[in-house]
């Protein structure tokens, strides 16, 4: 279907005015309407030759209106319709030509060809046979014969496709229908049958494109829109499903199947949108319960269940509900092992749970399926740093606090442990040595975790107390690395050398 281009559209608006002018001019010359009609035909022909289809069409409309018995006017108009890709409009014009002038073979041949393209095989054959009987030119005779042969062949294939279909041999039916549709490009019925075969074969993308064509080829094709809507629905695409079912209801607001399907899709659509808005607002636990209701609304379409769980996995991971997140994300990945979103979210949850190796595995799988994702790259690097760090010192673990601990909790944990591991509490030389090491670790952990800058470095996977992980610059922390002797001047507890008066700083 060729759309009229905007320029032609503008011209169309002026055409009636032009026509009036031309008519007036010619009335004077020929003093009769024939002059007008002939002139329109002449102008139309010139415009058609210049490719100005819309303007040509207006002249031929005027010619037909001026003389309803002028077969040439209909024939020319049919030619423009064909050039515009409007084969449906061309058919009645060609039929009118043949009715007015039965021996006009080229019109009959064209009509036969159109009928063939529309899949109206019996009518097409009858046209080709009549052409052969009506003293055609040799070129027309050749064309009519080859088209007649073609339509016989198509008839045979249609029968085969139908019997394959009835036997449920859908693959075979498709291969016959492919050949049929190659010739009968505007045949909605063949498209619909092939779409049905594709549905049975599970080739939904192909079914969709045939149904889209069928919805355009047959006016009021509510069934095609209904089927499209249900296919999209079963693929878990609620938005496309809603679009298509609305098209069905535009054609027939009382369509029973479409209406009940519409209510279902609309309800589901509303819930999913609401859930996504909650995620936007970072209201993760509300979003999770909204997605639980999505699964209740549509328990029978696996794709919706999977989509809902994928989003729940995301919310739980963001909400740091670590154990739940890992379990829901794992359900998604069991059904869809390459789901990049679920891999990323589960990796994040593993990181929250200090399962660095697991997180690295997930980030690596995600990277295989999505190479240029910055989030994955950064996540993977972070997980690898944290793994390395966990094999060294983890200041959070040393103090026994969570990664999310506030300064107050950190100081509290520090005081308790510093008291417990103070080297003066130990007499045995070995134990004293062990306590000294512990005590230094505890003091370093407190220094790093209560200094926002050092803590943020540590959270990025860098150890501010480790000269190796530092890049350049003099470090004011080296006084730690000399062990206990260096501690004599440094008092982790505040006033005086090791008296246990705690400053609550």
């Amino acid at each position: 279907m060729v759309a009229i281009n905007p320029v032609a559209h503008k011209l169309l608006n002026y055409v009636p005015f032009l026509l009036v002018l031309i008519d007036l001019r010619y009335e004077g010359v020929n003093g009769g309407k024939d002059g007008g009609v002939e002139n329109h035909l002449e102008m139309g022909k010139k415009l058609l030759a210049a490719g100005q289809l819309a303007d040509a069409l207006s002249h031929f409309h005027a010619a037909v209106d001026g003389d309803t018995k002028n077969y040439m006017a209909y024939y020319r108009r049919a030619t423009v319709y064909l050039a515009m890709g409007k084969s449906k409009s061309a058919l009645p014009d060609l039929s009118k030509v043949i009715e007015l002038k039965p021996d006009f073979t080229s019109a009959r041949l064209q009509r036969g060809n159109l009928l063939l393209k529309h899949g109206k095989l019996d009518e097409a054959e009858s046209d080709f046979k009549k052409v052969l009987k009506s003293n055609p030119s040799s070129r027309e005779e050749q064309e009519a014969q080859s088209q007649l042969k073609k339509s016989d062949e198509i008839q045979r294939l249609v029968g085969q496709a139908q019997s394959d279909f009835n036997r449920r041999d859908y693959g075979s039916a498709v291969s016959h229908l492919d050949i049929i549709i190659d010739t009968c490009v505007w045949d909605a019925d063949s498209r619909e049958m092939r779409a049905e075969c594709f549905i049975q074969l599970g080739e939904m993308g192909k079914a969709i494109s045939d149904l889209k064509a069928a919805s355009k080829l047959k006016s009021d094709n509510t069934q095609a829109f209904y089927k499209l809507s249900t296919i999209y629905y079963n693929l878990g695409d609620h938005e496309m499903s809603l679009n298509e079912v609305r098209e069905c209801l535009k054609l027939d607001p009382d369509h029973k199947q479409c209406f009940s399907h519409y209510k279902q899709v609309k309800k589901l659509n509303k819930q999913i949108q609401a859930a996504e808005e909650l995620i936007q607002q970072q209201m993760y636990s509300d979003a999770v319960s909204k997605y639980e209701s999505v699964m209740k609304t549509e328990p029978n379409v696996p794709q919706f269940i999977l989509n809902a769980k994928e989003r729940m996995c995301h919310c739980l991971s963001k909400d740091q509900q670590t154990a739940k997140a890992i379990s829901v994300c794992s359900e998604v990945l069991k059904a869809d092992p390459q789901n990049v979103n679920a891999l990323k979210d589960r990796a994040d949850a593993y990181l929250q749970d200090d399962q660095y190796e697991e997180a690295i595995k997930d980030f690596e799988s995600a990277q295989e399926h999505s190479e240029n994702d910055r989030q994955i790259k950064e996540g993977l690097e972070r997980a690898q740093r944290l793994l390395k760090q966990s094999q060294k010192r983890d200041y959070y673990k040393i103090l026994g606090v969570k990664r999310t601990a506030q300064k107050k909790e950190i100081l509290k944990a520090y005081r308790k442990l510093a008291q417990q591991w103070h080297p003066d509490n130990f007499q045995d030389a070995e134990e004293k040595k062990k306590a000294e090491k512990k005590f230094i670790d505890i003091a370093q952990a407190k220094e790093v975790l209560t200094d926002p800058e050092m803590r943020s470095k540590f959270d990025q996977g860098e150890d501010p107390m480790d000269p190796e992980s530092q890049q350049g610059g003099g470090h004011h922390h080296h006084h730690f690395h000399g062990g206990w002797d260096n501690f004599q001047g440094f008092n982790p507890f505040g006033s005086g050398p090791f008296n246990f008066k705690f400053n609550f700083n």
Side-chain angles (χ1 to χ4, degrees):
M1 317 280 157
V2 180
I4 297 177
N5 72 25
V7 179
H9 222 296
K10 275 218 182 87
L11 282 171
L12 266 181
N13 298 333
Y14 301 119
V15 162
F17 176 62
L18 287 173
L19 294 182
V20 172
L21 287 180
I22 292 165
D23 271 354
L24 287 173
R25 211 174 72 210
Y26 272 84
E27 289 289 353
V29 180
N30 289 352
K33 67 176 181 189
D34 285 351
V37 170
E38 283 309 318
N39 177 56
H40 283 310
L41 285 174
E42 203 45 50
M43 287 290 289
K45 234 167 88 175
K46 282 184 181 152
L47 289 162
L48 177 57
Q52 289 171 275
L53 301 181
D55 299 352
L57 188 59
S58 314
H59 280 290
F60 294 138
H61 281 325
V64 166
D65 293 343
D67 178 3
T68 50
K69 295 274 183 282
N70 186 326
Y71 72 89
M72 253 348 255
Y74 289 105
Y75 185 62
R76 296 258 182 248
R77 188 167 70 174
T79 312
V80 181
Y81 279 138
L82 288 175
M84 290 174 121
K86 297 184 172 178
S87 64
K88 265 196 199 134
S89 310
L91 262 174
D93 272 358
L94 288 171
S95 296
K96 190 77 184 161
V97 174
I98 293 162
E99 177 197 318
L100 291 167
K101 192 169 170 51
D103 61 345
F104 194 164
T105 45
S106 69
R108 200 182 282 280
L109 191 52
Q110 268 183 311
R111 183 173 73 173
N113 288 337
L114 278 187
L115 290 165
L116 180 57
K117 282 185 173 169
H118 282 286
K120 298 190 158 62
L121 302 171
D122 295 337
E123 295 170 50
E125 287 194 5
S126 128
D127 268 346
F128 296 139
K129 283 176 181 156
K130 282 196 177 127
V131 168
L132 292 172
K133 282 194 193 122
S134 64
N135 194 14
S137 72
S138 65
R139 192 188 58 76
E140 287 170 342
E141 183 173 11
Q142 241 177 336
E143 191 180 340
Q145 265 169 347
S146 80
Q147 292 296 70
L148 191 56
K149 217 171 108 190
K150 195 182 258 183
S151 38
D152 273 347
E153 174 63 5
I154 300 279
Q155 287 276 25
R156 193 179 58 75
L157 289 169
V158 168
Q160 280 187 317
Q162 190 62 59
S163 78
D164 287 339
F165 186 85
N166 298 341
R167 279 205 320 276
R168 302 198 180 159
D169 181 353
Y170 300 111
S172 200
V174 165
S175 59
H176 292 131
L177 286 162
D178 286 345
I179 304 170
I180 295 166
I181 291 167
D182 253 354
T183 298
C184 311
V185 275
W186 299 318
D187 174 15
D189 296 341
S190 297
R191 296 259 177 190
E192 285 175 349
M193 185 191 280
R194 189 169 68 174
E196 195 47 52
C197 294
F198 284 138
I199 292 172
Q200 298 295 337
L201 294 166
E203 297 198 45
M204 295 309 170
K206 291 180 177 175
I208 286 171
S209 67
D210 270 344
L211 286 167
K212 287 208 157 145
S215 73
K216 292 193 181 81
L217 290 168
K218 207 194 257 176
S219 49
D220 293 355
N221 198 341
T222 49
Q223 212 41 39
F225 288 119
Y226 174 68
K227 270 195 181 157
L228 277 168
S229 181
T230 52
I231 290 177
Y232 280 124
Y233 188 80
N234 289 322
L235 291 173
D237 189 336
H238 52 105
E239 286 165 342
M240 288 300 282
S241 181
L242 193 57
N243 287 347
E244 299 294 345
V245 78
R246 280 187 175 135
E247 290 301 318
C248 170
L249 291 172
K250 271 185 211 165
L251 293 171
D252 176 6
D254 303 322
H255 195 289
K256 276 207 176 63
Q257 277 176 310
C258 286
F259 188 67
S260 75
H261 182 58
Y262 169 72
K263 283 194 300 195
Q264 170 73 359
V265 188
K266 195 159 163 56
K267 181 180 176 188
L268 197 64
N269 204 41
K270 212 168 145 185
Q271 288 176 327
I272 292 172
Q273 277 177 339
E276 288 302 315
E277 273 163 31
L278 290 165
I279 293 177
Q280 291 277 298
Q281 296 157 12
Q282 303 189 341
M283 295 167 71
Y284 296 116
S285 58
D286 293 347
V288 167
S289 40
K290 200 40 112 179
Y291 268 118
E292 279 166 349
S293 41
V294 167
M295 299 199 304
K296 286 198 187 79
T297 300
E298 187 39 88
N300 303 319
V301 175
Q303 197 54 51
F304 280 120
I305 304 281
L306 197 61
N307 294 353
K309 283 187 176 166
E310 180 191 314
R311 296 307 277 154
M312 284 161 74
C313 143
H314 178 69
C315 294
L316 292 163
S317 174
K318 283 280 185 212
D319 211 25
Q320 306 217 325
Q321 299 200 37
T322 310
K324 259 190 178 161
I326 290 172
S327 132
V328 175
C329 297
S330 300
E331 283 179 41
V332 175
L333 288 162
K334 203 170 156 187
D336 178 10
Q338 304 185 356
N339 189 315
V340 172
N341 294 329
L343 284 166
K344 288 195 321 200
D345 290 323
R346 186 171 72 175
D348 283 337
Y350 278 139
L351 282 184
Q352 293 160 25
D353 204 36
D354 301 337
Q355 299 192 46
Y356 306 119
E357 273 109 338
E358 298 304 324
I360 287 171
K361 262 192 221 145
D362 276 352
F363 278 130
E364 285 175 340
S365 307
Q367 206 166 32
E368 278 170 37
H369 304 299
S370 174
E371 282 166 23
N372 302 321
D373 187 320
R374 210 187 70 245
Q375 274 181 317
I376 297 175
K377 192 167 166 285
E378 287 169 5
L380 180 57
E381 285 167 4
R382 184 161 161 252
Q384 284 162 336
R385 276 201 309 269
L386 289 167
L387 174 64
K388 225 162 118 183
Q389 186 174 298
S390 73
Q391 291 156 347
K392 295 186 188 160
R393 287 180 299 185
D394 180 342
Y395 297 122
Y396 291 104
K397 279 216 178 96
I398 290 169
L399 294 183
V401 293
K402 282 206 177 87
R403 282 190 165 269
T404 50
Q406 304 291 317
K407 187 168 180 175
K408 244 170 48 185
E409 293 169 64
I410 290 168
L411 289 169
K412 195 173 154 196
Y414 161 68
R415 291 188 193 106
K416 200 173 140 199
L417 288 165
Q419 225 165 350
Q420 185 185 334
W421 290 101
H422 195 288
D424 290 357
N425 298 344
F426 298 90
Q427 264 52 59
D428 176 80
E430 271 303 303
E431 284 194 353
K432 206 178 193 63
K433 224 172 146 170
K434 193 172 134 195
E436 278 174 16
K437 185 175 174 342
K438 235 3 205 202
F439 191 76
I440 290 172
D441 282 348
I442 292 161
Q444 287 187 325
K446 174 242 178 191
E447 191 178 348
V448 170
L449 298 185
T450 54
D451 176 323
E453 195 185 327
M454 285 162 72
R455 181 172 179 179
S456 131
K457 271 190 176 170
F458 180 71
D459 287 341
Q460 292 308 310
E462 215 181 279
D463 183 348
M465 292 294 177
D466 175 0
E468 278 173 33
S469 86
Q470 294 291 318
Q471 279 93 40
H475 305 297
H476 61 293
H477 308 303
H478 284 172
H479 57 244
F480 276 139
H481 291 286
W484 184 242
D485 300 332
N486 275 6
F487 248 146
Q488 304 309 322
F490 163 79
N491 181 2
F493 300 111
S495 57
F498 300 125
N499 57 7
F500 277 79
K501 241 171 73 199
F502 284 101
N503 288 1
F504 290 97
N505 45 339

